[in-house]
Amino acid sequence: MCGIVGYIGKNDCYPILIKGLHRLEYRGYDSAGIAIVHNNIINLYKSRGKVSELEKLCESKCTEGTLGIAHTRWATHGEPNDTNAHPHISQDSNIAIVHNGTIENYSVLKEALKEHGCEFQTETDTEVLVQLIEYIKDTNKCSLQSAVIEALSQVIGAYAIAVIDKNTPDTIIAARKSSPLVIGIGDDETFIASDATPFIEYTNQVVYLNDDEIAIVKRGEPLKVVKSNNEPSEIDIQTLKLSVSQLEKGGYPHFMLKEIFEQPETLGDCLRGRIVDGHIQLSGVTDNKDVFLNVNRIIIVACGTSWHAGLIGKRLIQDFARIPVEVEYASEFRYSNPVITDKDIVIAISQSGETADTLAAIQLAKQRGAFVYGVCNVVGSSIARATDSGTYIHVGPEIGVASTKAFTGQVTVLTMLATALGELRGTVDKDIVKKVAAALYRLPDLITQTLQLNESIEKLARTFTYCHNFLYLGRGYNYPSALEGALKLKEISYIHAEGYPAAEMKHGPIALIDKELPTVFIAPNDVMHEKIVSNIQQVKARGGSVISVITKGDKEIAELSDHVMAIPEVPECLSPVVASIPLQLLAYHIAVVKGCNVDMPRNLAKSVTVE
Ligand code: F6R
């Protein structure tokens, strides 16, 4: 979703800002823009479409200057066009702003400003904010800092902003509420961005702004951060572990393929130091033993792929730790007036750590007394900081919009969490712990073996590229795998795909079965094997074509199916991780043959920071 970059320092800011915008492209956007202060003028350039369009536009323009802000916009208020793109500039062209989030009371503020003579050029909520800042600055004859603070006190909504003023060309004011903003502190230069990717080659020293904090970034002066009442805030400079190579494709045609192939390594990182002498050790569990021993119920909140991981987490935690678990879409949970007690634990799962609905669900759960545990990837993200404790999945930056390595990391962490809780509560057999720990240890190797399916899946994909619909069916641990397989296909190939519990098929979806509709069965060797065999027979009996994910050597399902993707033998609880690999590859190759933009599918954003 929208991305912010800002720079103030000794160097020309244009190349830094443009490169930064390219780094933020993965978040999803539909227009881009840049504003640079030079000779007390704000030069503003904006363009619909890709950052490369903006670059073309800027070729013949003045881009000099050492202070600037830039933005990638994912439209919320007003269609994606040049005018609605950010930055937005105030009526007198004095102040420019970039903004992520939404100003909910923008129409009330707009009407009031109109009465004071303000005219508006765009349909956006952001223009209202910049006009308000200018109006306050002029009326109160105050500094930019005071005007921003006053304007934000009148705003209802979510925001991360960076504001510049042509009359104070040595200052950027930045602020956040429910939308991420990070400041990079370099050598005589400071960066502002939605995440650290735009400036990682210049500095790894970062400050994460907290909600309701305002940063005053002045050339040649140390960073100052204040709260909304203008009281100074403490500045916590952190050192980031992120390398530029993690943000590049490394020879792969797409980030998604790179990320699929990285999984042996990322799962190795996820597991590192957490399996000790055949036991699982998670500091989030050992530090909160009493909470986990006294819990009555766990509620998992998440969205999209992370919600699918949550469904697997439910099975795992119920099986190993014998705690009742509910799984909720964060967007539904937050408005459902849920019954929560201080004996509940809410587990929030989020790759980006910035998903607005998940963040709101956490806030609600905390208000109602629950202990909140996070399963996040992005270190220092809003969700990671909002939770009481948690476990990072440590799979490195995920750039492809379709989540792959984050999903397997999430399920791996949930497997470890369930096993650790089972041991803590004495609800899991010692032999099972040993078996799961041993299988987790072998997981990177099992994924490497599974990735050998790539070539055959690439061929298989060509057969199915022109289908309009797909059905994905699984049972038990692999019912969520079916949902996730279907989601992967639909989001990157735009082929309609539905996931169902295989036995539910006969209650409706079976009507769809004909030779035009391929059904993907996730059918490894597990306790549901015989049941799923009969589900496959039901599809075959109606002329449907069947692609099955099976355990190597399973002749029975191989003979029934038209195509198989065979994965190595693995304990049932880990089969969703291994089975997800062929499903990711199938979706990827079908989308590539269709010529789709795999890494940046239409309409989708990597980090969903609006409701
Ligand atoms: C699908 C996908 C999305 C995300 C969802 C939640 O491939 O990536 O469905 O899973 O938007 O995002 P996070 O995990 O960042 O909270």
Side-chain angles (χ1 to χ4, degrees):
M1 227 151 237
C2 306
I4 287 176
V5 201
Y7 175 84
I8 181 166
K10 54 196 181 221
N11 294 309
D12 252 354
C13 63
Y14 176 75
I16 296 169
L17 294 175
I18 287 290
K19 198 169 184 187
L21 289 183
H22 278 301
R23 286 271 167 76
L24 292 177
E25 283 187 298
Y26 80 97
R27 296 166 73 91
Y29 70 106
D30 41 49
S31 54
I34 194 161
I36 298 174
V37 180
H38 180 56
N39 288 342
N40 287 85
I41 290 176
I42 296 178
N43 288 316
L44 176 68
Y45 310 115
K46 312 197 283 186
S47 170
R48 192 203 154 115
K50 296 286 162 202
V51 175
S52 51
E53 298 295 322
L54 176 68
E55 281 181 278
K56 268 189 224 146
L57 174 75
C58 291
E59 267 166 20
S60 56
K61 310 278 192 214
C62 168
T63 55
E64 271 178 66
T66 54
L67 177 152
I69 51 177
H71 192 259
T72 48
R73 172 176 188 249
W74 190 86
T76 54
H77 297 72
E79 65 172 281
N81 58 27
D82 296 357
T83 316
N84 289 335
H86 297 212
H88 289 289
I89 195 145
S90 61
Q91 189 157 296
D92 293 341
S93 303
N94 286 327
I95 300 173
I97 191 170
V98 286
H99 165 223
N100 291 356
T102 43
I103 308 294
E104 286 168 19
N105 59 336
Y106 83 106
S107 49
V108 180
L109 295 170
K110 193 171 184 173
E111 286 316 307
L113 286 164
K114 275 185 182 166
E115 280 175 21
H116 289 108
C118 277
E119 284 173 16
F120 290 86
Q121 311 298 323
T122 79
E123 301 155 73
T124 65
D125 53 340
T126 305
E127 192 190 6
V128 176
L129 184 53
V130 72
Q131 302 283 34
L132 180 63
I133 294 170
E134 185 174 73
Y135 174 74
I136 293 170
K137 188 167 178 265
D138 291 349
T139 318
N140 296 0
K141 308 250 176 300
C142 62
S143 66
L144 181 65
Q145 175 184 338
S146 303
V148 170
I149 292 176
E150 172 56 28
L152 293 178
S153 72
Q154 300 185 25
V155 153
I156 300 171
Y159 53 79
I161 55 167
V163 188
I164 56 174
D165 182 341
K166 70 175 190 186
N167 300 311
T168 47
D170 283 329
T171 308
I172 303 180
I173 307 287
R176 74 155 273 176
K177 183 176 199 162
S178 305
S179 191
L181 207 58
V182 54
I183 297 176
I185 302 187
D187 189 11
D188 279 342
E189 54 187 0
T190 307
F191 308 81
I192 294 163
S194 299
D195 62 48
T197 55
F199 58 72
I200 196 62
E201 64 253 65
Y202 312 107
T203 181
N204 61 0
Q205 300 298 294
V206 300
V207 174
Y208 294 100
L209 271 198
N210 292 311
D211 274 353
D212 296 312
E213 281 185 339
I214 297 105
I216 299 101
V217 186
K218 285 200 176 171
R219 201 191 301 274
E221 288 185 22
L223 174 70
K224 207 171 122 196
V225 178
V226 297
K227 299 185 187 123
S228 47
N229 58 4
N230 229 338
E231 292 285 307
S233 248
E234 220 170 276
I235 297 179
D236 176 19
I237 302 180
Q238 300 184 27
T239 304
L240 210 65
K241 284 188 202 138
L242 179 69
S243 70
V244 178
S245 65
Q246 288 178 293
L247 307 174
E248 289 167 350
K249 285 188 198 148
Y252 286 92
H254 298 101
F255 279 109
M256 183 176 175
L257 192 63
K258 177 189 175 217
E259 287 159 7
I260 292 173
F261 270 83
E262 263 174 5
Q263 287 173 105
E265 200 185 305
T266 56
L267 292 180
D269 292 341
C270 175
L271 292 162
R272 185 156 303 120
R274 290 168 167 171
I275 306 175
V276 182
D277 298 333
H279 299 279
I280 309 297
Q281 284 193 357
L282 296 177
S283 57
V285 174
T286 34
D287 293 349
N288 298 288
K289 276 186 185 160
D290 285 349
V291 181
F292 284 108
L293 282 171
N294 293 317
V295 61
N296 276 350
R297 177 182 63 151
I298 288 177
I299 306 166
I300 297 179
V301 292
C303 304
T305 286
S306 300
W307 184 78
H308 297 155
L311 291 177
I312 300 165
K314 171 184 165 131
R315 282 296 302 256
L316 287 159
I317 295 170
Q318 285 187 175
D319 277 355
F320 294 169
R322 305 306 296 148
I323 303 168
V325 184
E326 293 166 19
V327 188
E328 298 264 2
Y329 285 115
S331 55
E332 289 295 316
F333 176 82
R334 64 183 287 194
Y335 294 115
S336 65
N337 190 16
V339 178
I340 301 173
T341 73
D342 59 5
K343 287 277 177 67
D344 289 329
I345 295 176
V346 168
I347 299 181
I349 308 174
S350 174
Q351 185 285 130
S352 64
E354 301 297 345
T355 303
D357 285 320
T358 310
L359 201 50
I362 291 170
Q363 277 149 4
L364 177 68
K366 282 176 90 173
Q367 275 161 21
R368 299 200 175 183
F371 178 84
V372 183
Y373 197 88
V375 176
C376 287
N377 189 29
V378 179
V379 175
S381 56
S382 302
I383 291 177
R385 287 180 302 135
T387 44
D388 295 305
S389 182
T391 304
Y392 281 116
I393 62 173
H394 287 316
V395 299
E398 191 178 64
I399 309 288
V401 161
S403 189
T404 51
K405 62 177 182 173
F407 174 73
T408 51
Q410 289 165 343
V411 179
T412 303
V413 160
L414 290 165
T415 311
M416 290 192 278
L417 180 63
T419 317
L421 293 184
E423 272 203 283
L424 177 72
R425 294 165 60 88
T427 48
V428 67
D429 199 277
K430 283 196 176 97
D431 288 343
I432 294 184
V433 175
K434 271 193 196 149
K435 205 172 145 196
V436 174
L440 281 169
Y441 195 76
R442 286 176 46 235
L443 195 56
D445 181 45
L446 295 170
I447 301 292
T448 304
Q449 291 173 38
T450 312
L451 285 166
Q452 287 168 9
L453 290 169
N454 184 43
E455 248 174 64
S456 60
I457 295 177
E458 187 178 1
K459 284 189 197 127
L460 180 66
R462 289 194 205 117
T463 316
F464 292 99
T465 302
Y466 298 101
C467 293
H468 296 296
N469 298 289
F470 267 77
L471 196 57
Y472 282 71
L473 301 175
R475 300 190 71 150
Y477 273 98
N478 285 297
Y479 152 51
S481 307
L483 298 181
E484 176 57 10
L487 179 66
K488 281 294 84 85
L489 184 70
K490 77 182 111 181
E491 65 185 335
I492 59 170
S493 72
Y494 318 138
I495 295 173
H496 172 243
E498 290 207 50
Y500 260 92
E504 271 296 301
M505 176 184 67
K506 58 189 174 294
H507 300 289
I510 199 164
L512 297 170
I513 306 279
D514 64 15
K515 60 181 180 1
E516 305 292 324
L517 179 85
T519 302
V520 180
F521 277 94
I522 298 90
N525 267 347
D526 58 25
V527 289
M528 302 308 283
H529 187 265
E530 284 320 303
K531 304 281 175 198
I532 212 156
V533 165
S534 82
N535 298 138
I536 296 173
Q537 281 161 337
Q538 287 158 10
V539 170
K540 288 308 298 171
R542 286 158 184 86
S545 72
V546 168
I547 307 165
S548 299
V549 177
I550 57 166
T551 303
K552 258 183 205 160
D554 180 350
K555 290 203 180 104
E556 189 179 10
I557 296 190
E559 275 167 21
L560 274 176
S561 308
D562 299 282
H563 307 274
V564 293
M565 304 184 280
I567 60 172
E569 181 92 46
V570 62
E572 183 180 17
C573 67
L574 275 172
S575 64
V577 175
V578 183
S580 69
I581 305 296
L583 302 179
Q584 293 168 356
L585 286 169
L586 184 66
Y588 171 79
H589 286 299
I590 290 179
V592 169
V593 181
K594 281 194 74 181
C596 299
N597 186 344
V598 175
D599 283 335
M600 280 183 267
R602 68 184 181 207
N603 305 336
L604 289 180
K606 184 71 187 161
S607 185
V608 185
T609 50
V610 295
E611 274 201 68

